[in-house]
Amino acid sequence: MERDDQLKLYGLVADRLKDAHTRVRTLQVPEGVRMALTRKLLVITAAAKHDLADAARRLEWFMADLDEGRYPEDVHTDRSP
């Protein structure tokens, strides 16, 4: 039974990651913000390989931030490269 639960969680996390990547790609935000969000998603994706439950929690927090419009600041706001 535990294996079935694990497989369901993998499926859920995979679907949510796909949705998160789509949402980030379509956001109307500065490129620096999009890059920061994408980096966060890549970290969550990498974490899923080692600790699926933790990655699922982090992904839920990430999605809640997106839903609330809480984005990282644009790292290039001073116009520097």
Side-chain angles (χ1 to χ4, degrees):
M1 185 67 171
E2 183 178 314
R3 181 171 165 77
D4 290 339
D5 291 340
Q6 188 80 353
L7 288 174
K8 287 179 185 176
L9 186 55
Y10 271 115
L12 176 66
V13 170
D15 289 343
R16 296 285 286 168
L17 279 168
K18 183 177 177 181
D19 181 46
H21 278 281
T22 298
R23 288 183 62 188
V24 167
R25 189 173 49 250
T26 60
L27 283 174
Q28 299 296 316
V29 295
E31 190 60 27
V33 173
R34 185 179 334 284
M35 288 173 54
L37 290 168
T38 300
R39 279 192 297 275
K40 286 185 177 195
L41 280 174
L42 292 174
V43 168
I44 294 169
T45 301
K49 296 175 184 176
H50 305 286
D51 188 345
L52 186 60
D54 180 55
R57 282 188 298 275
R58 293 168 78 176
L59 183 55
E60 286 304 313
W61 297 332
F62 180 87
M63 295 298 279
D65 285 347
L66 284 183
D67 290 342
E68 295 294 322
R70 291 187 299 259
Y71 309 130
E73 292 185 27
D74 188 351
V75 295
H76 299 294
T77 55
D78 65 350
R79 305 288 185 226
S80 64

